[in-house]
Amino acid sequence: MLTTRAHVRLLGPDDRDEFLALAAEDPVVNVFADYRARVTNLEPRGLGGERWGRFAGDRLVAGCHMGANLVPVQCTADDVTCFAEPALARVRSTATIVGPHPVVAALWQAVGERWTAPREMRWRQPHLQIDRDPDVPADPEVRQTTPADLARLYPACVAMYTEEVGVSPETAGGKDLYRARVQQLIARGWSFARFDDEGRVIFKAEVACATPYAAQVQGVYVHPDRRGEGLAVGGMAAVVALVRERIAPTVSLYVNEWNAPARAAYERVGFTETTRLSTLMF
């Protein structure tokens, strides 16, 4: 495996247990990288990218997942700059950089002059989590979705993604891939929704990744015609209860700093802020 004077090298299956131990130092913030390591055993083909590590002697002290998402793991600002060269090699295949704000800022300072300019920079996104029962009653009409719900659920997923990211997931021939992703989440029991009497999705959310420690929620959406009614509060309370019962003991998510209604809803449910993340989108 490649090694440099900075003691940075590519990780592989033999490094899996040490990498999981590193991620477990903050298992909620590191849930994505932890999850990907568990399901792929750090095999590059399964990862859809590479996993790099920085070592102090023989001890792994920092890591970086580099695929469609570039995600630092337990990095200081000094650690992450050591991953600049392998990161630059992936400039055309990385869609997002996401991680704790000081770490992402340090990485961007190291690579920004040589990297494609992001189409959007979200610098201080509150990272929220809850590891107990929600503070408000759960909406009893929110449930895990089934394959029979796909035709109604998929348009809501597309609408949420487009609104949040600014680009439709169906662009550039992505429809089949995105539809398969929605089907996969349904099959895993990671998709939750409430439907109205006309069969429309009026609230939905999904689990993006999960480990024995935590599950990260994404794709929270309320139909535009029903916003302002408090559906997100009861809906997220239901998601928290269902996820903690069936998937993982801690539920996390991150939210845009400017999204005051969403932040207020999560606070009412009982989520608390633990750190600030940054997301750079390409």
Side-chain angles (χ1 to χ4, degrees):
M1 291 184 178
L2 176 64
T3 304
T4 74
R5 289 179 296 174
H7 304 290
V8 173
R9 67 169 172 84
L10 194 63
L11 302 180
D14 291 345
D15 301 300
R16 176 186 182 273
D17 290 346
E18 191 170 8
F19 183 86
L20 291 178
L22 178 71
E25 293 178 14
D26 193 342
V28 183
V29 170
N30 294 326
V31 62
F32 169 79
D34 188 337
Y35 164 71
R36 293 294 295 156
R38 290 174 186 274
V39 299
T40 66
N41 291 318
L42 299 189
E43 291 282 0
R45 186 176 303 176
L47 279 169
E50 299 172 338
R51 189 69 56 85
W52 289 77
R54 185 183 190 191
F55 289 79
D58 293 331
R59 184 171 64 91
L60 180 65
V61 295
C64 194
H65 173 94
M66 299 186 192
N69 301 304
L70 193 157
V71 182
V73 180
Q74 292 304 102
C75 287
T76 65
D78 288 338
D79 289 326
V80 80
T81 59
C82 293
F83 299 120
E85 289 305 320
L88 284 165
R90 301 197 61 82
V91 65
R92 295 185 181 277
S93 59
T94 295
T96 61
I97 300 174
V98 59
H101 170 70
V103 177
V104 172
L107 177 63
W108 188 244
Q109 185 174 13
V111 305
E113 291 185 359
R114 293 183 286 169
W115 199 305
T116 304
R119 59 181 178 83
E120 190 167 353
M121 297 171 138
R122 300 180 181 182
W123 278 115
R124 296 185 180 274
Q125 298 172 297
H127 175 273
L128 312 175
Q129 64 186 63
I130 182 171
D131 61 0
R132 56 180 176 78
D133 291 339
D135 291 340
V136 295
D139 184 338
E141 295 188 49
V142 172
R143 59 172 175 82
Q144 285 178 310
T145 62
T146 72
D149 297 316
L150 178 63
R152 297 181 295 169
L153 183 65
Y154 179 74
C157 293
V158 172
M160 182 277 154
Y161 186 103
T162 304
E163 183 177 339
E164 173 65 19
V165 178
V167 178
S168 170
E170 297 184 333
T171 58
K175 180 176 181 179
D176 290 345
L177 184 62
Y178 188 66
R179 187 179 182 88
R181 172 62 174 164
V182 174
Q183 289 176 306
Q184 181 185 62
L185 294 173
I186 293 171
R188 288 177 176 169
W190 288 6
S191 168
F192 307 88
R194 175 180 170 180
F195 301 86
D196 68 10
D197 293 339
E198 299 174 3
R200 299 183 309 169
V201 173
I202 57 172
F203 169 84
K204 77 159 193 75
E206 295 91 36
V207 168
C209 51
T211 70
Y213 305 107
Q216 185 178 92
V217 171
Q218 67 172 15
V220 181
Y221 172 81
V222 174
H223 193 283
D225 292 348
R226 301 293 301 271
R227 292 175 186 175
E229 299 178 19
L231 288 171
V233 176
M236 283 304 299
V239 170
V240 168
L242 289 166
V243 170
R244 294 190 68 243
E245 176 187 351
R246 303 176 187 185
I247 300 173
T250 299
V251 183
S252 72
L253 54 82
Y254 55 99
V255 59
N256 292 317
E257 183 180 24
W258 45 260
N259 194 341
R263 293 178 65 181
Y266 299 143
E267 184 176 359
R268 286 183 61 190
V269 173
F271 282 88
T272 57
E273 181 176 330
T274 62
T275 190
R276 291 285 174 111
L277 303 184
S278 293
T279 302
L280 309 185
M281 305 166 66
F282 301 90

